[in-house]
Each structure stands twice: as structure tokens, then as C-alpha cells.
Amino acid sequence: LGSPAALSACCAMDAPLQRATTGFLAAASPRLAGPLAAAQAASVTQQPAAGPAAQGWAAVTAAGSRACSTRGGDGHTQAAFGAAVLAVAALPRLRRVISSVAAAGGASASRKAGSRRQIVSVRAATDPAEPAASAKSLEWPAERVRKAYIDFFVEKKEHNFVPSSPVVPLNDPTLLFANAGMNQFKAIFMGQLDPASPLQGMTRAANSQKCIRAGGKHNDLDDVGRDNYHHTFFEMLGNWSFGDYFKVEAIDFAWELLTSVYALEPERIYASYFGGDEVMGLPPDLEAKELWERYLPPSRVLPFGKGDNFWEMGAVGPCGPCTELHYDRVGGRDAASLVNADDPDVVEIWNLVFMQFYRDDSGQLTELPNQHVDTGMGLERVASILQQKRSNYDTDLFTPLLDALHGIVGGAPYSGRLGADDTDLRDTAYRVIADHARTLTFAVADGAVPSNEGRGYVLRRILRRAVRYGRQMLNAPPGFFSALVPVVVDSLGPAFPELVGASDRVRQVLQDEEAAFDRMVERGMQYFAEVRVELDAAGAKIVPGDRAFFLYDTHGFPIDLTQQMAEEAGLSVDLDGFNASMEQQKERSREAQREQQAQQQGMRALELVAEQTAWLENKDVLPTDDAQKYEWYVKPDASVRAIYTEDGFVETTEGLGGSDGTVVGLVLDKTPFYAEAGGQVSDIGRLCATEDGADAAALMEVRTVKMFGGFALHSGLLASGSPPIRVGDTVACEVDYDHRQSVAPNHTMTHTLNWALREVVGEGCDQRGSLVTAERLRFDFSSDAVSTAQLEKVERLVQEAIKSKLPVSVQEVPLKTAQEISGLRAVAGEAYPDPVRVVTVGSGKLEEILASPREDRWKAQSVEFCGGTHIKNTEEAEAFVILEEKAIAKGIRRIIGATGKVAVAALAEGSRTLDEFTALEANKKASDEDIISLSKRVDAATLSAVLKAECRGRLEKLRKKLRKKQKGADKALIKDTKANIAKAAAAAKASGLRHLVLRTDGLDAKVLQQVISGAPADMAVLLLAAAEDGTVYCVASVPESCQMEGAAADGWVRTTLAPLGGTGGGKPGRAQGSAKDAAGQAAEAEDAAASFWATAAA
């Protein structure tokens, strides 16, 4: 492997592989570091012909040859050879070079084996870090740890395997990221599960959930890198019981897995339980204590308070005591005092939560009707125990990343130093970057992108933190971070196949973001330099908090980076002021959010959670029958089964005020209202009283309808003066079908738009979100920039679908059958019910499609899973326009569109606008004002985005045409004015004068400057011009021969403009100035100019 030919083969690999290989060699042999760095700096990918790169190549190959042939020595050369062997063994991507290496005549197999043994011994003697974990040599590689857990619960304990949900929650706006295994089961715990959900009826589940904890309540970001076990991304192995087994089975299962499957030593296991809380009114969980004492001595079953052993979903919601399992890495001692003491050798590995209670707004706890089990075990921690590593970063989940990173940056490899031992923060940087590479890869693969708000801002902060550590601590080259994406994919792709398909896109997003950060850092450094100059001038030593916040908010500088720069400059930072600015921004954000919610709803939304849905079930209230939600123009009667207010359930609305503004929610036995779901707003309408079969007055205005655990809650405002509503009353349901008739076309055309985008932009164009209202449709999708030509084609395809009067077919289909349809569009990571509702827009009806689902011809029409309301034929949409298309984040675009009356009006406005353009383009006297006026109308008009782009192009052509015309006119004007100056100058000379004042009204400052350049060389000339906007411009030229002491061009201009309140300046030979709103006083300026020289002479 160290022969010249073999090394040449390695250096001829692509750049990432070359960096990895040369990095291994440099780490093992300091004597090779210089030549290798020279070769890498020259980006050697093939043998150079001459120059420094060729010298570097020769040095590397020569050193490799010596490494291959030397048998003795100080061990460094043998180490270099052994490192190359380890490089191939440790990185699966390098295996393909082995054949070319062998063919190149490398060392014999026996010498390879001998050197492999020697490099291990050399590393053990010199490297303080533990040997790198090799998945093949481990008894418990992470892949086996994960599989053993899932197989145990699925095959032995009858749990359903439920794949991990995306780390980007699809239907939970309360979460930035999935931060626990239970997130996708939240609706079950909250009692809000849709009866059509695929989770309905499931009682046991198990999986390995992708989790990110880097924002909100659960935020480990600032701890990552400082220790061996905190991560922003981790896998949570979990098993759940939904109203099935409880404490006995949960504890038995846990003990069996740990001691029988993983074969952990029972003597090292400690269990904790909830020790009770007087304030909460809860006694100790003695049941859990007694259950554990069947397996453990009482001395290793320990009570703790609510901070450690009481789990809560949030301030409101399901909660309950938990029991945690801790493992002593050392063993052979009593480690009870080290449990929950942040000792790195006594670590928590598993948390078993017993959801027994529900906490309401007042903090009161009530027993849940169904008790659940939610457990979570961190894969990284249990893998470190099974692989006998003190650090998670020494397991095979991280070593490929750390090795690859070292291959990129060179220098000292990762050695596992912590705290004060890590004086240069090099190992901290290794840990930060390895962790953050996993986080960003998974987040972007699941649809998130770095941006300036929400989860995107968190991701941007994570990436910048990693890049900053790489640049400052490791001297990493540009692009180093995105180069780690393939390593993450290689390591975790087998468990999470979605990484493989997204690899290229993820790498490009991170590469662009990393480059943008580099540019931002440069701008921020310039800003800091300006602040430093100001502070030095003022003799100050503290960077103001608002300036530090500006760096943070505008330039993305973490406060610790600003502090570091300040410290290097001998300054400090006003942290109190920074925090105050931060809080002000947060309050502005909260206020804006409150205003937005108020504008959108006009009322406070009501919500049913587990306590309320359980109450309904206990009252024998059945889930709402919403079978009529897809029917049109029906007006069924329904029975009021429950009345809900902000204060809870009531029997009647009497006494609630009976006036506009009183918000109530009604649960009916059946409803024709469509409940908000899938990005579509709910139906609106009225609930009316019925008397003797005839409609009576409206009782309530329905503003929104939402489904909670199968119960449709109709929320709205009580009608003023209406009679009270009582439980058991019959009401007439009146859906506002005019409203639905505006929503449905927008929804159907959203499907058609999705199809058209795939046709034009390509298969990688995937849905990332949508919102359908009566006024607009919004569609977010993954793509780079979309050209105007592409946008025009997309719009035209949708418009053609409307003109073609295509049928819209809807049918419920078994999920497995539906998933076989060619061209099917579905939201990645979304859980669909079985059977699933399929909607297709096109000539092919669903009966035909289902008869031969795999035929490619179905790609020519829209086919999607959807539970929304739709029109029956595309002609009902009337028209379609794309009103706006823009980027909302890196790699994510947004289209705003409209159908119906809005689209028709936009098209009509477009026709009128085009007529205006035709008229203006034909107008030979068109002015700047005409173009500006038309430009403003285009910007303000509701037009097709494609037409707006065309209009802006035509406006630019009009501007160029006018500028060209004006340029010609200016040339003629300049020529005429210069002739007038020459004529006037000749007359002045004939009269014996050496100074000339000339009025040239109508000229602007630019033209005056060009005219004055042609003034006579032996005469002082001042030009004065009153412009159309009322400004008086002045320019003067005074050759040296005409200057007098205290009298030159600059003084002449200032004296001229003084009566007008104007200003001017320049040099003795050339000066200029102006006075605003002074055209009526130009004569006074002319008189002042004429008398200047006489006054100066006197």
C-alpha cells in the first residue's frame, strides 16, 4: 500500500478520499506531514507535470516507498504504512482501491499483517484516546444494539414496529424538532387521535426515533462538546403501551432486555423511582420500588424527587412518575451515591415513564382514564456501555466521522480530552463538529433548511457553531463541514434509507450555507472593527449591548464569538445590554404573533385534550359522525352532545353573555362541516334552531371546526340575542357552501400545481407544506431557483387543465394498493390511514388506474392522497394564476396562487396592464414620470407573477430607450450651451472682462459639469441653472491666472448661493453647489455672482 504506484492510485482518487488517506498518513508519521500538506494544498488528483505540485507529489510517493521498504527505524515509517492499512479497513468507501493497489505491486500480505500489528502497538503507546471502534471487530456494533432492541419488543413482546417519524414534525406546530420517541404518539396520549389514523387501535409499539434537542424546553446545544455524552442529535430506542400493560410488564421487559439480551452485569444496575411530592399531593411510587426489589437489593433502588423522577409533557398535559435505570461503568463498588450526580461513570441509560395523570391549566392532577407507558433509551449511551467505551464519541457511531474529519484537517487526531485537559479546545471542536454533522444531515434530509426563523434559525446556529469551531480550533479548510455528509450517510443510511436519497441535496444545502457564513463573518468582522475604532476614539472599553446584539441578530455572530473578539482587542461586552436587546426582540416577536393570531381567528381558539376527550367518553358521547363532510348543499339536523367553553364543559349557554364575542364550542353527534386538516381551512357557517321542522334564528356563527380524537368541535360566536343552547338540543347545520366553493377549487388546483411542478422542474420537486383558503392557495416545495420560463410553463399547464374540463375522481383505496400507483404524490414522512382517500385530476379515472396501477401513463395526471374537499371538474376553477413565487429558505420555494374570481380579476387586470404598455411604448414623448407611474401600478396590481416579470422586463427596456433618447438630447444641449458660452465669453473679452456669469436654466448638475469642462482657459466662468424641480444648480471654473487672494471658484459658488440658503464647495479651480426650492430667487444669486469679483478686488 505504501509503494509509489499504490500511493499514486490513492492520490488519483476524488478529493475527499484523497484527503482522508493522506490525513491518516500524516497523523501516524509527523515526518510526512509537510510533503502531504504540500500535495494536498496543490489539490493533487493526478500526477502533475512540473512545479511545486510535482515536487510535493514526488515527496509523498518517495516517503511512501520508504515506508513500504523499511523494516526497522523509529517506528514512524512503519506507522505510516500501517496507517494506510487502517485507512482502508476503517473506511468502506476506500475498499474499492484495494484491487488497484494490489495490482500496483504493493507489499506482501505477510508484511501487511506485520505492519498492521505494529501500528496498533504504536498507537496504544502514543495516543491517549481509546482505539477507534471498528464495526466489524465489535461484539456489539450500534447496528446490532438497535436491531436487538427492536427485535426483542416486536418478535418477543408483540409490539408493532412503527418507523421513526421525521425529525421535522409535520403536524405539530408546538415542536421545533422531534425531541422524544413519544412525539408521533402525542395524539394518543392527548386523546386527540383521528379515528382514521393508522395508529388507531394500536396498543403496543417500538422503534428507534430520530431526535434533535437544540431548542425550546429540551435544549442540549450548549452542552455538546463539553462532555462525552450530550448530543443535539441522538436515537431514542423506545417501547410504548397505549392503555395495555403498565408498570409490572414495563419493568419486567426492561430487566430481561438488559440482563438477558444485552447481558449487562446485574450488579452494576441501579434503579430510581419517584419519591413523592407533598406540594403536588403525590405519595412515593412504592409500586415501582417493590417491583424493582424483585430484581435488585433495596440499596440499589433509590428514591428521587420530581426533578428526576416525574415526567411532564409540558405545563399542561399527560404526566406521571418515572423510573430510571443507571449503569456503573466501573463496577465492584457501591455507586448509589453517584446516581443522578453527573458522574460520567454512572450513567442513566433508560427512562420508563408511567403516564397516570393529566395536569390542567390550574396545575391540578387528575387520573387518566387510560394509563400509558412511554420508555426511552439513548442508543449512543447504551452502545458506549456495550462497546466498553467511557465516551459515546469512542463508539462506532462517531469514530468514522472523527476519522474523516481528521483526514480533512490534518494535525493531531481526536484524543478524547475534556475540560482543563483540552487546553486548545481541539477535542471539543472534534466532538462539536461530529455531533452537528449528524444533526444537520438528518434535519435537512427530513425537509428543514437553515434560515432566519424558527427551526431554520436553530439549524443555522448549529451549523455556524460547527464551522466556527472548525475554523478557529482545527484550521479547517472551506467546505470541510459539508464534506462530512457522505460519512453520516454511510454510517446511518442502512438504518434510515431516506438519508441515501437526500445525500446530494443535503450536501449542497450545507455547502451553500457554509459559504454564506464565511461571507457573513467577513462583514461582521468589518462591523466589529468599526465599533472598535469608535470605542478607541471615545476611550471606552465596553462593547455596547445593542452593538453586540446587532452582530448577533444581523450578522449571526454568537455572543461568545463577540466576547472572544472583544477580549482579543482588550475590551469587554455589556451582556446586560445584550440580554435586554434580546428580550425586546422576543417581546416584539410575541406581540406580532399575538396580533397575527387575532387577525386570523378573531377569537381565542378552543381545544380538547386528553382530559376533555376522556370526559366525553365517560359521558358516553360517541365520536362525531362526519360522513357528510364531502357532501354539498345538505342541511342536516344534529344533536348537541356537549358544550365547551374556556372554563370547561357546561350544560347550557345561558348566562354566558348571550352577545357577540362569547366563544363556545359545540360537539355534535354528526356534522356536514369539514374540519381543518391537511393544510385546508375548515368550513364556516351557522348553527340554527329548528322549530316544528322550520328554520328559526341563528344560534351561533361557526368560525372554525377542528377534530380532537374523533370529536368535531364547532367553535364560534353566539349570535346576539339568540336563545340559549342546551345539551340535547337539535340544531340545523348550515355550511357556508359559497365559502367552500371558493376553497375547493384552490385545493384541487394545488394538486394540479404539484403535478405541473414535477413535470417542469423534475422529480426532486417535493411538497414541503401547503395552505388552502378561500382567497389563496400556498404551496411550498423543494427546489433551487425556478426560472420565469419554467414558471410560465407551470402556470400554463394548470390553466390548460382547467380549459380541458378534466374530471376529478375520488375513492378510498387500500393503502398498499394505492402506494403502487405510478406517479403518486405523497408527503414524505406523513402517516396515512388505511384505507386511504385517493384524489386524481385527469382523464384517467380511478377505476382504470387501480386496474393497472404501475403504468407510466398515470404520471401524466395528478394522483395524490388527500382528505380534503374538491370540485368535480376542473372547469369549476374558472381560471388560475400564480401570484407570487419566491424562496423562503435555502432549497425551499413558495408559490402563492389563486383560482375563481381572484384569478379572473388578475387576468383582466393583466390585459389592461398590457394595453398600457402598448400605449406607452408607442408614445414618442414618454417621460421618466410616465415610466415611474406605470412601474408603481404594476407593483401594486394583483397580476400573474409571470406577467409581472414580463412587465418589469419591458419597463427596463423603456428606461433604456428613454436614457438613450435623453443622452442624445443631452449631447445636443451640451453642444449648444458650449457654443453659447464661447459666444458670451468672446463678447466679454471684447469688453475687457475676465469673468462671465451665465444663466442656463433647465440643465441639471450632471449636464452643467460636462458644459463647464469646455470653459475658456483664460476666463472665469460661473453657470447658474434653475431646474424644473425648483433646485438652483451652480458650477464655476476659475483658471489659476484669474484667481485672486481669497477669491477663487469655491468662494465664488458659496457667495452666489448664500442669498438662496444653498451650500457649495470644491477647489480653487473648480467648484459646485445647489440650493433647493429656490428657483424664484435665481436672479438674486445671479446678482451676487456678478458682484463677487468687484468685491474681492476692493
Short mmCIF file of all heavy atoms in Angstrom, two decimals, residues 678 680 745-757 767 770 772 777 779 798 808 825 837-841 861-870:
data_model
loop_
_atom_site.label_atom_id
_atom_site.label_comp_id
_atom_site.label_asym_id
_atom_site.label_seq_id
_atom_site.Cartn_x
_atom_site.Cartn_y
_atom_site.Cartn_z
N GLY A 678 -54.97 18.74 6.90
CA GLY A 678 -54.20 18.62 5.67
C GLY A 678 -53.89 19.93 4.97
O GLY A 678 -53.73 19.97 3.75
N GLN A 680 -55.87 22.47 4.74
CA GLN A 680 -57.10 23.14 4.27
C GLN A 680 -57.86 23.70 5.46
O GLN A 680 -58.03 23.02 6.48
CB GLN A 680 -58.01 22.16 3.52
CG GLN A 680 -59.32 22.80 3.05
CD GLN A 680 -60.24 21.83 2.33
OE1 GLN A 680 -59.79 20.96 1.61
NE2 GLN A 680 -61.54 21.97 2.54
N PRO A 745 -61.86 24.75 -5.22
CA PRO A 745 -61.05 24.91 -6.44
C PRO A 745 -59.57 25.17 -6.12
O PRO A 745 -58.68 24.68 -6.82
CB PRO A 745 -61.68 26.12 -7.14
CG PRO A 745 -63.06 26.22 -6.59
CD PRO A 745 -62.96 25.74 -5.18
N ASN A 746 -59.33 25.95 -5.08
CA ASN A 746 -57.94 26.20 -4.70
C ASN A 746 -57.24 24.91 -4.28
O ASN A 746 -56.05 24.72 -4.56
CB ASN A 746 -57.88 27.23 -3.56
CG ASN A 746 -58.06 28.66 -4.04
OD1 ASN A 746 -57.81 28.96 -5.21
ND2 ASN A 746 -58.50 29.54 -3.16
N HIS A 747 -57.99 24.02 -3.62
CA HIS A 747 -57.37 22.75 -3.20
C HIS A 747 -57.10 21.85 -4.40
O HIS A 747 -56.01 21.29 -4.55
CB HIS A 747 -58.26 22.04 -2.19
CG HIS A 747 -57.52 21.02 -1.37
ND1 HIS A 747 -57.93 20.63 -0.12
CD2 HIS A 747 -56.38 20.31 -1.63
CE1 HIS A 747 -57.07 19.74 0.35
NE2 HIS A 747 -56.13 19.52 -0.55
N THR A 748 -58.07 21.73 -5.28
CA THR A 748 -57.87 20.88 -6.46
C THR A 748 -56.75 21.40 -7.34
O THR A 748 -55.93 20.64 -7.85
CB THR A 748 -59.18 20.80 -7.27
OG1 THR A 748 -60.23 20.30 -6.43
CG2 THR A 748 -59.02 19.87 -8.46
N MET A 749 -56.68 22.71 -7.49
CA MET A 749 -55.61 23.28 -8.32
C MET A 749 -54.26 23.23 -7.62
O MET A 749 -53.22 23.30 -8.27
CB MET A 749 -55.96 24.71 -8.73
CG MET A 749 -57.11 24.79 -9.73
SD MET A 749 -56.79 23.83 -11.25
CE MET A 749 -57.88 22.43 -10.99
N THR A 750 -54.25 23.11 -6.30
CA THR A 750 -52.98 22.87 -5.60
C THR A 750 -52.42 21.51 -6.02
O THR A 750 -51.22 21.36 -6.25
CB THR A 750 -53.19 22.91 -4.08
OG1 THR A 750 -53.67 24.19 -3.70
CG2 THR A 750 -51.89 22.64 -3.34
N HIS A 751 -53.30 20.51 -6.13
CA HIS A 751 -52.87 19.20 -6.62
C HIS A 751 -52.33 19.30 -8.05
O HIS A 751 -51.28 18.73 -8.38
CB HIS A 751 -54.05 18.23 -6.60
CG HIS A 751 -54.42 17.75 -5.24
ND1 HIS A 751 -54.91 16.48 -5.00
CD2 HIS A 751 -54.39 18.35 -4.03
CE1 HIS A 751 -55.16 16.33 -3.71
NE2 HIS A 751 -54.86 17.47 -3.10
N THR A 752 -53.06 20.02 -8.88
CA THR A 752 -52.64 20.17 -10.28
C THR A 752 -51.32 20.93 -10.37
O THR A 752 -50.45 20.62 -11.19
CB THR A 752 -53.73 20.90 -11.09
OG1 THR A 752 -55.00 20.29 -10.83
CG2 THR A 752 -53.44 20.83 -12.58
N LEU A 753 -51.15 21.93 -9.52
CA LEU A 753 -49.90 22.68 -9.46
C LEU A 753 -48.74 21.76 -9.06
O LEU A 753 -47.65 21.82 -9.64
CB LEU A 753 -50.04 23.83 -8.46
CG LEU A 753 -48.77 24.62 -8.12
CD1 LEU A 753 -48.22 25.33 -9.35
CD2 LEU A 753 -49.05 25.62 -7.01
N ASN A 754 -48.98 20.91 -8.09
CA ASN A 754 -47.96 19.95 -7.64
C ASN A 754 -47.52 19.06 -8.81
O ASN A 754 -46.33 18.83 -9.04
CB ASN A 754 -48.53 19.10 -6.50
CG ASN A 754 -47.47 18.26 -5.80
OD1 ASN A 754 -46.29 18.33 -6.10
ND2 ASN A 754 -47.91 17.44 -4.85
N TRP A 755 -48.49 18.58 -9.55
CA TRP A 755 -48.19 17.74 -10.73
C TRP A 755 -47.41 18.55 -11.78
O TRP A 755 -46.42 18.06 -12.33
CB TRP A 755 -49.49 17.21 -11.32
CG TRP A 755 -49.32 16.68 -12.71
CD1 TRP A 755 -48.83 15.47 -13.09
CD2 TRP A 755 -49.62 17.39 -13.94
NE1 TRP A 755 -48.80 15.37 -14.45
CE2 TRP A 755 -49.28 16.52 -15.00
CE3 TRP A 755 -50.14 18.63 -14.22
CZ2 TRP A 755 -49.45 16.89 -16.33
CZ3 TRP A 755 -50.32 19.01 -15.54
CH2 TRP A 755 -49.98 18.14 -16.58
N ALA A 756 -47.85 19.77 -12.04
CA ALA A 756 -47.21 20.60 -13.07
C ALA A 756 -45.76 20.91 -12.70
O ALA A 756 -44.87 20.92 -13.56
CB ALA A 756 -47.99 21.89 -13.27
N LEU A 757 -45.50 21.15 -11.44
CA LEU A 757 -44.14 21.41 -10.99
C LEU A 757 -43.24 20.21 -11.23
O LEU A 757 -42.09 20.35 -11.66
CB LEU A 757 -44.13 21.78 -9.50
CG LEU A 757 -44.55 23.22 -9.17
CD1 LEU A 757 -44.82 23.37 -7.68
CD2 LEU A 757 -43.47 24.21 -9.61
N GLN A 767 -43.27 18.27 -2.20
CA GLN A 767 -44.06 19.16 -1.36
C GLN A 767 -43.44 19.31 0.01
O GLN A 767 -43.02 18.34 0.64
CB GLN A 767 -45.49 18.61 -1.22
CG GLN A 767 -46.40 19.48 -0.36
CD GLN A 767 -47.84 18.99 -0.35
OE1 GLN A 767 -48.23 18.18 -1.19
NE2 GLN A 767 -48.63 19.45 0.60
N SER A 770 -48.38 23.22 2.64
CA SER A 770 -49.41 23.90 1.84
C SER A 770 -50.44 24.51 2.76
O SER A 770 -50.59 24.13 3.92
CB SER A 770 -50.09 22.91 0.88
OG SER A 770 -50.83 21.94 1.60
N VAL A 772 -54.53 26.03 2.11
CA VAL A 772 -55.62 26.31 1.17
C VAL A 772 -56.70 27.08 1.90
O VAL A 772 -57.27 26.61 2.89
CB VAL A 772 -56.20 25.00 0.60
CG1 VAL A 772 -57.35 25.31 -0.34
CG2 VAL A 772 -55.13 24.20 -0.11
N LEU A 777 -54.17 29.97 -2.48
CA LEU A 777 -53.52 28.69 -2.21
C LEU A 777 -52.04 28.96 -2.06
O LEU A 777 -51.48 29.82 -2.75
CB LEU A 777 -53.80 27.66 -3.31
CG LEU A 777 -53.25 27.95 -4.72
CD1 LEU A 777 -51.85 27.35 -4.91
CD2 LEU A 777 -54.20 27.34 -5.77
N PHE A 779 -48.27 26.92 -1.75
CA PHE A 779 -47.63 25.62 -1.93
C PHE A 779 -46.12 25.78 -1.79
O PHE A 779 -45.49 26.55 -2.52
CB PHE A 779 -47.96 25.05 -3.31
CG PHE A 779 -47.50 23.63 -3.51
CD1 PHE A 779 -48.18 22.57 -2.94
CD2 PHE A 779 -46.37 23.35 -4.27
CE1 PHE A 779 -47.76 21.27 -3.11
CE2 PHE A 779 -45.94 22.05 -4.45
CZ PHE A 779 -46.64 21.00 -3.87
N VAL A 798 -51.40 24.32 -15.67
CA VAL A 798 -52.57 24.34 -14.79
C VAL A 798 -53.75 25.00 -15.51
O VAL A 798 -54.90 24.52 -15.43
CB VAL A 798 -52.25 25.09 -13.48
CG1 VAL A 798 -53.49 25.10 -12.57
CG2 VAL A 798 -51.08 24.42 -12.75
N VAL A 808 -62.51 15.13 -11.84
CA VAL A 808 -61.79 14.89 -10.59
C VAL A 808 -62.41 13.67 -9.93
O VAL A 808 -63.60 13.67 -9.60
CB VAL A 808 -61.90 16.11 -9.65
CG1 VAL A 808 -61.13 15.86 -8.35
CG2 VAL A 808 -61.36 17.37 -10.34
N ARG A 825 -48.22 11.18 -5.77
CA ARG A 825 -47.54 12.21 -4.98
C ARG A 825 -48.05 12.12 -3.56
O ARG A 825 -49.25 12.17 -3.30
CB ARG A 825 -47.83 13.61 -5.53
CG ARG A 825 -47.45 13.80 -6.98
CD ARG A 825 -45.96 13.87 -7.17
NE ARG A 825 -45.45 15.22 -6.97
CZ ARG A 825 -44.17 15.53 -7.00
NH1 ARG A 825 -43.26 14.59 -7.15
NH2 ARG A 825 -43.77 16.79 -6.84
N ARG A 837 -57.75 7.86 1.15
CA ARG A 837 -58.55 8.55 0.13
C ARG A 837 -57.62 9.04 -0.97
O ARG A 837 -56.67 9.77 -0.71
CB ARG A 837 -59.30 9.71 0.77
CG ARG A 837 -60.38 10.35 -0.09
CD ARG A 837 -61.26 11.22 0.80
NE ARG A 837 -62.33 11.88 0.08
CZ ARG A 837 -62.31 13.13 -0.35
NH1 ARG A 837 -61.23 13.85 -0.14
NH2 ARG A 837 -63.33 13.66 -0.98
N VAL A 838 -57.90 8.63 -2.18
CA VAL A 838 -57.07 8.98 -3.34
C VAL A 838 -57.86 9.96 -4.21
O VAL A 838 -59.03 9.73 -4.51
CB VAL A 838 -56.67 7.74 -4.15
CG1 VAL A 838 -55.81 8.14 -5.35
CG2 VAL A 838 -55.91 6.76 -3.27
N VAL A 839 -57.19 11.06 -4.63
CA VAL A 839 -57.80 12.05 -5.50
C VAL A 839 -56.96 12.16 -6.76
O VAL A 839 -55.74 12.33 -6.68
CB VAL A 839 -57.88 13.43 -4.81
CG1 VAL A 839 -58.48 14.47 -5.75
CG2 VAL A 839 -58.70 13.35 -3.53
N THR A 840 -57.60 12.05 -7.90
CA THR A 840 -56.87 12.21 -9.16
C THR A 840 -57.56 13.23 -10.04
O THR A 840 -58.79 13.33 -10.07
CB THR A 840 -56.74 10.87 -9.92
OG1 THR A 840 -55.96 11.07 -11.09
CG2 THR A 840 -58.10 10.31 -10.31
N VAL A 841 -56.76 14.03 -10.73
CA VAL A 841 -57.26 15.04 -11.66
C VAL A 841 -56.74 14.68 -13.04
O VAL A 841 -55.54 14.76 -13.29
CB VAL A 841 -56.78 16.45 -11.26
CG1 VAL A 841 -57.34 17.49 -12.22
CG2 VAL A 841 -57.15 16.77 -9.82
N GLN A 861 -51.02 12.73 -15.10
CA GLN A 861 -52.08 13.42 -14.39
C GLN A 861 -51.78 13.40 -12.90
O GLN A 861 -50.94 12.65 -12.41
CB GLN A 861 -53.44 12.77 -14.67
CG GLN A 861 -53.61 11.34 -14.18
CD GLN A 861 -54.94 10.76 -14.65
OE1 GLN A 861 -55.10 10.43 -15.82
NE2 GLN A 861 -55.89 10.64 -13.74
N SER A 862 -52.48 14.24 -12.17
CA SER A 862 -52.26 14.36 -10.73
C SER A 862 -52.92 13.20 -10.00
O SER A 862 -54.11 12.92 -10.20
CB SER A 862 -52.84 15.69 -10.23
OG SER A 862 -52.93 15.70 -8.82
N VAL A 863 -52.17 12.53 -9.14
CA VAL A 863 -52.70 11.49 -8.26
C VAL A 863 -52.10 11.71 -6.88
O VAL A 863 -50.88 11.69 -6.71
CB VAL A 863 -52.34 10.06 -8.75
CG1 VAL A 863 -53.01 9.04 -7.86
CG2 VAL A 863 -52.73 9.86 -10.20
N GLU A 864 -52.95 11.95 -5.88
CA GLU A 864 -52.47 12.23 -4.53
C GLU A 864 -53.36 11.59 -3.48
O GLU A 864 -54.54 11.34 -3.71
CB GLU A 864 -52.43 13.74 -4.28
CG GLU A 864 -51.38 14.50 -5.06
CD GLU A 864 -51.19 15.92 -4.54
OE1 GLU A 864 -51.31 16.12 -3.31
OE2 GLU A 864 -50.91 16.81 -5.35
N PHE A 865 -52.77 11.36 -2.29
CA PHE A 865 -53.56 11.02 -1.10
C PHE A 865 -54.09 12.32 -0.53
O PHE A 865 -53.33 13.29 -0.34
CB PHE A 865 -52.69 10.34 -0.04
CG PHE A 865 -52.14 8.99 -0.45
CD1 PHE A 865 -51.05 8.46 0.20
CD2 PHE A 865 -52.74 8.25 -1.46
CE1 PHE A 865 -50.55 7.22 -0.15
CE2 PHE A 865 -52.24 7.02 -1.83
CZ PHE A 865 -51.14 6.49 -1.16
N CYS A 866 -55.37 12.39 -0.24
CA CYS A 866 -55.92 13.66 0.27
C CYS A 866 -57.26 13.43 0.93
O CYS A 866 -58.11 12.69 0.43
CB CYS A 866 -56.07 14.67 -0.87
SG CYS A 866 -56.69 16.27 -0.33
N GLY A 867 -57.47 14.11 2.06
CA GLY A 867 -58.75 14.03 2.76
C GLY A 867 -59.54 15.32 2.67
O GLY A 867 -60.47 15.53 3.46
N GLY A 868 -59.20 16.20 1.71
CA GLY A 868 -59.86 17.50 1.62
C GLY A 868 -61.07 17.50 0.72
O GLY A 868 -61.45 16.49 0.12
N THR A 869 -61.69 18.68 0.60
CA THR A 869 -62.85 18.85 -0.27
C THR A 869 -62.38 19.34 -1.63
O THR A 869 -61.47 20.16 -1.73
CB THR A 869 -63.86 19.85 0.32
OG1 THR A 869 -63.22 21.10 0.54
CG2 THR A 869 -64.41 19.34 1.63
N HIS A 870 -63.03 18.83 -2.70
CA HIS A 870 -62.58 19.14 -4.06
C HIS A 870 -63.79 19.40 -4.96
O HIS A 870 -64.93 19.03 -4.65
CB HIS A 870 -61.76 17.98 -4.63
CG HIS A 870 -60.42 17.84 -3.99
ND1 HIS A 870 -59.31 18.51 -4.42
CD2 HIS A 870 -60.03 17.10 -2.91
CE1 HIS A 870 -58.27 18.19 -3.64
NE2 HIS A 870 -58.69 17.34 -2.72
#
